[in-house]
Amino acid sequence: MPEITAVRGFKDILPDQIPLWRLVEDKARDLARRFGYLELRAPVLERTELFARGIGETTDIVEKEMYTMEDRSGDKITLRPEATAGLVRAVLEHSLATSGRPTRLFCLGPMFRYERPQKGRQRQFHQLDVEVFGDPGPHIDAEVISLLCAFLTELGLTDVSIQLNSLGCPKCRPIFREKLTSFLKAHEPNLCPDCQKRLIRNPLRVLDCKVEACQAIAANGPDMSECLCPECQDHLAVVTDSLGSVGLRYVLNNRLVRGLDYYARTTFEVHSGYLGAQSAVAGGGRYDGLCRQLGGPDLPGVGFAVGLERLIMILAQTQKLESLGPDYYLAALAPETLGPAFKLAHQLRLRGLSVEADWEPGSLKSRLKRADRLGALKVIMLGPDELANNQVTVRNLVTKEQTILPLTEINLF
Ligand code: HAM
């Protein structure tokens, strides 16, 4: 162990994991192109107020999990715990949603939450975040869910389930809130200390509590679906019909409230059996009041985020990715061939080939072993004899065929 190690909950992504990360990121970009979503790269640092107002003062994220500091000029800043609030800010700041048509965006990158690290939970983690601004209708909710499903399916995930709920709107949610509050009041002494506070400040958060006793109480509480107004019922019906029409299966879960306060109407989560306790691989929903809450116009929004570490944990268990070796391993077999080998490697690399070499002479046996370990397709051997004759020997490591080529014919490679 070095004297200075990585910060707890912050992980290095090592070279052997990169092929899976590339696979996931390439698939995200491919689907974004097919569904018409444009990439926006927002900063990882924002003003603290953006998250406090956006995510909700009484959420765990804002109350306990943010990396917040003062910069040298005394401004309060926070490492983003999620991407949605930052994207809303960027959309408003750059007037990206003024055309009257939906603005479809995605963002890939690290998020930061001061949570207790465990399997599937880190303090720095990565998300694919997808958002649509400016469309209040239910089909766009179904579109983002269908994009999420296509992303997971095309990556080969099978053991996933989509849970879907509607949290109602400012018209019908207060009715549910009132019913829930009077139900919870009757059970107040048995709620955890956090939920006793939540009961006063934000009773819906009790539904999201991880403490078993609170979950058991909430399970017998009032049903959100029975409080939905006709507009919210119709909205949910079109979302479910649209998902059904493209063969997507979901489970309605009327306890699904999510850990962020900005949602209204549609909310959803995707869980995987491969993940253990932290089983949510993705989550999202509609947040029509968020832009206004952040000082902008009434701009509806809907989106989701996928936790990439969790997704990659599943892929690592279910997929075997061949890591590709270089096209060539260049073996300089004597000290005097090092210089010409260096020149040759450079020329080949400029021509677009991948070439690996070690800049110390070695025996043929050790070089072949090394090429094999690297997974090279061919070995170019440059020993004193080859150099004297202006030639190289090329061995195909798959077919074991060996040919001698004049250095001038290196174009044939
Ligand atoms: P979220 O549910 O907080 O939603 O996070 C989305 C996903 O990020 C989770 O399902 C999980 O896979 C992953 N995740 C969250 N925290 C951690 C952690 N500490 N370690 C590893 N992975 C984690 C949001 O962030 C919303 N902004 C989603 C959204 C977008 N809603 C609308 N638009």
Side-chain angles (χ1 to χ4, degrees):
M1 273 288 168
E3 220 172 285
I4 303 173
T5 54
V7 175
R8 187 162 136 82
F10 288 63
K11 278 196 182 166
D12 297 306
I13 300 170
L14 298 176
D16 66 342
Q17 300 166 309
I18 294 298
L20 276 178
W21 281 85
R22 291 278 279 270
L23 178 82
V24 164
E25 289 161 1
D26 289 350
K27 180 56 75 188
R29 294 204 159 86
D30 171 38
L31 273 159
R33 181 190 59 77
R34 282 149 57 193
F35 280 71
Y37 287 66
L38 301 176
E39 183 169 359
L40 192 155
R41 298 186 189 187
V44 296
L45 207 58
E46 299 272 6
R47 292 180 198 282
T48 304
E49 198 190 348
L50 176 77
F51 302 116
R53 265 163 67 178
I55 299 171
E57 297 274 8
T58 55
T59 56
D60 280 357
I61 295 181
V62 172
E63 273 191 342
K64 307 179 193 162
E65 296 169 4
M66 295 208 302
Y67 280 90
T68 295
M69 64 212 97
E70 264 185 23
D71 69 11
R72 288 176 190 276
S73 56
D75 289 338
K76 260 187 130 184
I77 49 176
T78 295
L79 282 173
R80 64 179 179 196
E82 58 110 48
T84 312
L87 286 187
V88 172
R89 185 216 29 84
V91 162
L92 297 177
E93 197 166 330
H94 304 285
S95 307
L96 298 182
T98 50
S99 68
R101 278 193 221 97
T103 303
R104 293 174 165 86
L105 297 171
F106 78 97
C107 154
L108 278 162
M111 310 293 151
F112 307 86
R113 294 184 194 176
Y114 192 83
E115 293 188 86
R116 199 169 50 78
Q118 62 179 83
K119 187 181 164 219
R121 194 159 74 191
Q122 294 174 207
R123 291 181 173 171
Q124 176 181 302
F125 60 98
H126 295 73
Q127 285 185 344
L128 159 65
D129 187 80
V130 171
E131 313 287 356
V132 186
F133 297 95
D135 188 338
H139 285 100
I140 202 78
D141 302 20
E143 180 185 290
V144 296
I145 297 172
S146 68
L147 192 168
L148 171 59
C149 291
F151 176 63
L152 300 176
T153 309
E154 290 186 20
L155 283 170
L157 261 73
T158 46
D159 181 27
V160 289
S161 72
I162 308 171
Q163 297 190 17
L164 190 66
N165 191 22
S166 173
L167 289 180
C169 64
K171 212 168 89 186
C172 56
R173 200 186 313 179
I175 301 168
F176 174 66
R177 196 186 146 116
E178 215 164 279
K179 275 194 176 177
L180 183 66
T181 309
S182 57
F183 168 80
L184 291 174
K185 276 222 173 99
H187 296 85
E188 191 172 352
N190 301 322
L191 292 172
C192 75
D194 274 346
C195 281
Q196 291 181 357
K197 280 187 232 144
R198 288 174 183 137
L199 183 52
I200 302 156
R201 299 169 67 194
N202 193 348
L204 256 77
R205 293 259 64 83
V206 176
L207 301 182
D208 199 36
C209 182
K210 303 289 173 283
V211 175
E212 242 172 65
C214 301
Q215 283 183 355
I217 293 169
N220 296 315
D223 186 341
M224 177 75 225
S225 61
E226 286 168 8
C227 301
L228 293 180
C229 64
E231 291 82 1
C232 286
Q233 283 177 15
D234 290 350
H235 190 99
L236 182 62
V238 178
V239 175
T240 52
D241 283 355
S242 307
L243 294 178
S245 75
V246 290
L248 293 175
R249 293 221 303 263
Y250 54 85
V251 178
L252 286 173
N253 172 2
N254 58 27
R255 309 262 169 246
L256 181 69
V257 286
R258 313 259 309 115
L260 307 99
D261 272 352
Y262 49 58
Y263 294 110
R265 290 195 166 157
T266 314
T267 50
F268 51 93
E269 262 175 16
V270 176
H271 291 259
S272 165
Y274 281 100
L275 285 175
Q278 301 302 317
S279 67
V281 67
R286 175 165 282 283
Y287 47 87
D288 290 350
L290 180 57
C291 286
R292 175 150 283 243
Q293 209 162 313
L294 294 175
D298 257 335
L299 183 68
V302 59
F304 65 81
V306 183
L308 299 189
E309 276 80 2
R310 292 188 192 173
L311 175 59
I312 280 163
M313 267 170 61
I314 303 171
L315 294 179
Q317 290 174 63
T318 55
Q319 293 207 358
K320 193 104 207 101
L321 260 200
E322 297 279 316
S323 70
L324 283 184
D327 299 327
Y328 290 102
Y329 179 76
L330 183 44
L333 300 175
E336 65 273 27
T337 65
L338 271 176
F342 182 83
K343 220 168 125 185
L344 180 58
H346 187 66
Q347 286 166 350
L348 294 175
R349 287 165 177 161
L350 291 191
R351 237 178 267 155
L353 295 166
S354 60
V355 181
E356 289 206 28
D358 292 298
W359 302 121
E360 55 184 358
S363 70
L364 179 60
K365 198 172 156 204
S366 74
R367 298 292 93 160
L368 287 177
K369 222 165 145 187
R370 174 109 170 96
D372 209 40
R373 204 169 302 142
L374 285 169
L377 296 176
K378 292 178 182 174
V379 184
I380 303 172
M381 290 171 271
L382 196 55
D385 289 349
E386 279 99 350
L387 187 62
N389 296 319
N390 248 336
Q391 290 173 330
V392 286
T393 303
V394 180
R395 181 186 292 193
N396 185 317
L397 290 179
V398 183
T399 62
K400 308 288 176 220
E401 255 175 88
Q402 195 156 298
T403 40
I404 295 175
L405 279 177
L407 261 176
T408 47
E409 281 184 31
I410 216 79
N411 282 344
L412 299 176
F413 277 55

